[in-house]
Amino acid sequence: MKHPTRQTVLLNRMPARSLHLLTQIGRLADERGVSVYLVGGVVRDLLLKRENWDLDLTVEGDGIAFARLVADRYGAGLAVFERFATARLAFPDGLKMDIATTRHESYAQPALLPMVQPASIEEDLSRRDFTINAVAIQLNPRQFGRLLDPCGGQRDLQARTIRVLHAGSFQDDPTRIFRTIRFEQRFGFRLERTTVRLLAQAASRNLIQRLSGPRLQNEILLLFAERDPVRAIARLEQLKLLRFLHRRLSYTKNVKQVVVAVPKAFAWWAHRFPDSVIDRPIVYLMALSSESSPAVVAAMIGRLELSREQAKNLSMVGRRLDRTLKRITDPGTVRPSQLYRLLENFSDEALVLLLAKSQRLQSVARLSLLKRQLAAYGKNKAVKTALTGRDLQAMGLQPGPQYKTILGKLLDARIDGLITTEADERALVKKQLSALRNSLI
Ligand code: ATP
């Protein structure tokens, strides 16, 4: 061991519980006669002194058999993915860990998933995406903390540079094009010169079109889940990559205004509705397609194979949202119940987008009216009627579609503050029923 202190210093940056577990796993590896390493992004982040407590391990030997042993020893839940020679463990205290087999990957065809064969740790590191991610720390007791950096990862971290490991990297796996942007933006690193050239070449060659929908979707949404997606989107535009979402998707001045307004809209929303959980990446995708035609949006949904929920969100971005925006920012014309009915079918994501779009209203008064309307709507969402369908039945109303109408009227009256008690509701139902009977006579 050449630098024993530096070695332990790196691992000592981990939380005590993880460090303890990794020490024990190193001992278990010795018992089994295999070498085990902490690998990839978590090691990169230890070197960068950034928090990342993903426990990604790789085993020189049978990783799945070793994962089974660890799971047995610690009572951890285990999911095995034979095809990728990896396993995921969930420990009783909530810790998660991935264990893989060190491997070599060969790409039968560009952009398709690779064939996987067992290999040494050095080979395993050299099939990775960037030098900064091709780093590992050994965990076996006698080499505990030994850093493996065969591709110059530390040098590039110091130089704040992203560099691919070989000329065919983007061709083998075009998801790395998006990963490049992700790390470039996250760390504020620059791309090494050859990497820039290879990336531009790969981007111009339509390789991304060969990626499956779920793989492309995953990369795009991961990129939009980063801290500053606005810059990432500008970078996608600059590198002419948006066309892989749809060839007619363009970053016009209007679209840009909406995208740029999204972080502010999030901030307002989170402050106002702290319990609302927003799918942030999808909101950026909605903003990006906010000026696209329904046909383009539908094609994007198909290309990315979005889930029903995501697709529903994306489909809300068009004219309906614009019409709603116009209607509810028309001063003084909508009653609270009308506002509720206008907005109830929009998801929270769509309402955040509505707010982002409204930044273009260029009228401070209308923008603050919209905020007041959204705040009022948020409050009215919690309003409930005291009576239910069962009560209507007890009051002699035959089950049927009028239940929905009557309960809807009760809710509207409550929201508008016209009634406030159960007795008021009963009186209103009776009025409705007699009106109904009179209309039948
Ligand atoms: P994050 O910090 O966003 O989690 P990460 O670097 O940990 O990023 P993961 O996607 O969790 O990235 O992958 C873990 C490691 O696996 C990476 O650090 C890299 O070494 C390797 N890896 C992941 N995806 C690829 C890829 N497409 N090509 C080559 N190596 C990859």
Side-chain angles (χ1 to χ4, degrees):
M1 274 195 277
K2 227 165 146 197
H3 300 294
T5 38
R6 169 147 175 72
Q7 289 174 4
T8 31
V9 162
L10 263 187
L11 280 176
N12 281 341
R13 289 179 192 154
M14 304 228 54
R17 160 79 182 121
S18 305
L19 184 58
H20 181 66
L21 184 63
L22 293 177
T23 312
Q24 290 185 324
I25 284 180
R27 289 201 196 112
L28 206 55
D30 263 12
E31 274 175 38
R32 259 300 155 114
V34 294
S35 299
V36 67
Y37 306 87
L38 191 65
V39 72
V42 57
V43 179
R44 174 201 66 217
D45 289 343
L46 281 172
L47 286 162
L48 284 172
K49 300 193 182 147
R50 283 174 73 104
E51 284 199 3
N52 170 357
W53 312 133
D54 282 354
L55 294 176
D56 278 342
L57 266 58
T58 187
V59 173
E60 247 173 348
D62 187 342
I64 291 181
F66 187 68
R68 289 211 162 94
L69 183 72
V70 175
D72 270 0
R73 188 68 61 100
Y74 296 98
L78 178 77
V80 170
F81 311 97
E82 297 279 353
R83 160 97 171 73
F84 300 104
T86 57
R88 175 155 297 168
L89 288 86
F91 289 82
D93 64 357
L95 266 182
K96 303 254 182 333
M97 176 184 285
D98 283 340
I99 300 187
T101 303
T102 50
R103 71 227 193 174
H104 171 73
E105 289 177 346
S106 48
Y107 291 82
Q109 277 189 57
L112 295 188
L113 289 172
M115 319 273 286
V116 174
Q117 287 125 13
S120 69
I121 180 71
E122 285 77 13
E123 281 175 291
D124 182 282
L125 292 177
S126 68
R127 56 108 193 150
R128 288 176 186 258
D129 46 4
F130 312 111
T131 56
I132 59 168
N133 288 340
V135 280
I137 296 178
Q138 191 159 2
L139 300 176
N140 299 69
R142 258 180 298 149
Q143 289 88 8
F144 191 75
R146 179 171 76 106
L147 180 71
L148 283 83
D149 178 18
C151 308
Q154 275 183 295
R155 172 205 61 203
D156 283 340
L157 282 174
Q158 258 156 23
R160 305 171 62 78
T161 299
I162 312 247
R163 185 194 306 264
V164 284
L165 300 187
H166 60 92
S169 185
F170 292 121
Q171 184 160 340
D172 283 349
D173 181 355
T175 64
R176 292 174 188 161
I177 295 174
F178 298 100
R179 290 178 67 84
T180 308
I181 301 172
R182 183 141 63 91
F183 294 122
E184 176 199 47
Q185 297 298 318
R186 186 192 299 172
F187 300 133
F189 283 11
R190 63 177 184 83
L191 306 188
E192 174 269 332
R193 212 168 346 135
T194 310
T195 302
V196 177
R197 185 170 50 78
L198 294 171
L199 190 142
Q201 253 174 28
S204 69
R205 271 209 217 132
N206 291 348
L207 285 165
I208 295 169
Q209 265 161 2
R210 299 197 206 168
L211 281 178
S212 69
R215 289 185 79 203
L216 181 59
Q217 181 207 125
N218 184 47
E219 290 307 325
I220 295 294
L221 296 183
L222 279 176
L223 193 55
F224 293 175
E226 289 286 323
R227 207 166 46 89
D228 190 358
V230 176
R231 281 181 45 196
I233 289 172
R235 191 72 167 121
L236 288 176
E237 156 70 3
Q238 191 189 29
L239 293 166
K240 300 191 173 59
L241 291 170
L242 288 177
R243 69 195 166 95
F244 293 105
L245 296 181
H246 194 282
R247 72 196 145 77
R248 290 216 301 275
L249 188 68
S250 58
Y251 202 44
T252 60
K253 203 170 133 229
N254 282 353
V255 174
K256 188 174 173 183
Q257 279 179 346
V258 179
V259 168
V260 168
V262 168
K264 229 170 143 185
F266 277 147
W268 184 86
W269 189 270
H271 180 69
R272 194 43 87 156
F273 308 113
D275 296 333
S276 154
V277 181
I278 297 280
D279 180 351
R280 290 178 175 237
I282 213 72
V283 176
Y284 281 102
L285 199 58
M286 290 159 79
L288 199 50
S289 52
S290 56
E291 301 278 312
S292 299
S293 69
V296 168
V297 171
M300 272 172 63
I301 290 170
R303 171 64 184 107
L304 295 173
E305 293 183 39
L306 295 181
S307 69
R308 271 168 71 118
E309 179 96 6
Q310 293 168 324
K312 212 171 126 200
N313 268 323
L314 216 64
S315 309
M316 284 180 188
V317 299
R319 288 215 194 100
R320 212 175 107 214
L321 204 61
D322 290 336
R323 273 201 307 272
T324 307
L325 180 60
K326 203 152 167 260
R327 184 83 209 283
I328 67 178
T329 53
D330 209 356
T333 56
V334 275
R335 281 199 309 274
S337 59
Q338 285 176 315
L339 179 73
Y340 176 81
R341 297 297 170 193
L342 279 166
L343 297 183
E344 69 173 338
N345 291 321
F346 288 112
S347 63
D348 286 359
E349 284 77 6
L351 296 182
V352 171
L353 186 72
L354 188 78
L355 191 56
K357 277 187 141 189
S358 71
Q359 302 291 330
R360 296 218 317 268
L361 288 175
Q362 283 169 357
S363 147
V364 179
R366 286 187 102 177
L367 182 59
S368 65
L369 173 62
L370 174 68
K371 286 181 177 168
R372 282 202 306 279
Q373 302 282 50
L374 286 177
Y377 168 70
K379 249 180 42 209
N380 289 335
K381 266 203 325 191
V383 175
K384 299 268 176 295
T385 56
L387 299 183
T388 63
R390 210 178 278 253
D391 296 313
L392 296 188
Q393 199 169 5
M395 291 172 83
L397 187 69
Q398 289 302 315
Q402 66 269 35
Y403 269 48
K404 199 168 165 222
T405 316
I406 292 180
L407 288 173
K409 287 208 162 121
L410 290 183
L411 185 64
D412 287 354
R414 277 241 182 210
I415 289 175
D416 290 334
L418 302 174
I419 56 172
T420 50
T421 63
E422 184 180 326
D424 291 344
E425 286 189 19
R426 286 187 184 277
L428 189 60
V429 173
K430 282 190 189 133
K431 224 165 110 187
Q432 299 267 335
L433 286 178
S434 68
L436 204 71
R437 281 195 204 103
N438 288 341
S439 71
L440 292 175
I441 297 169

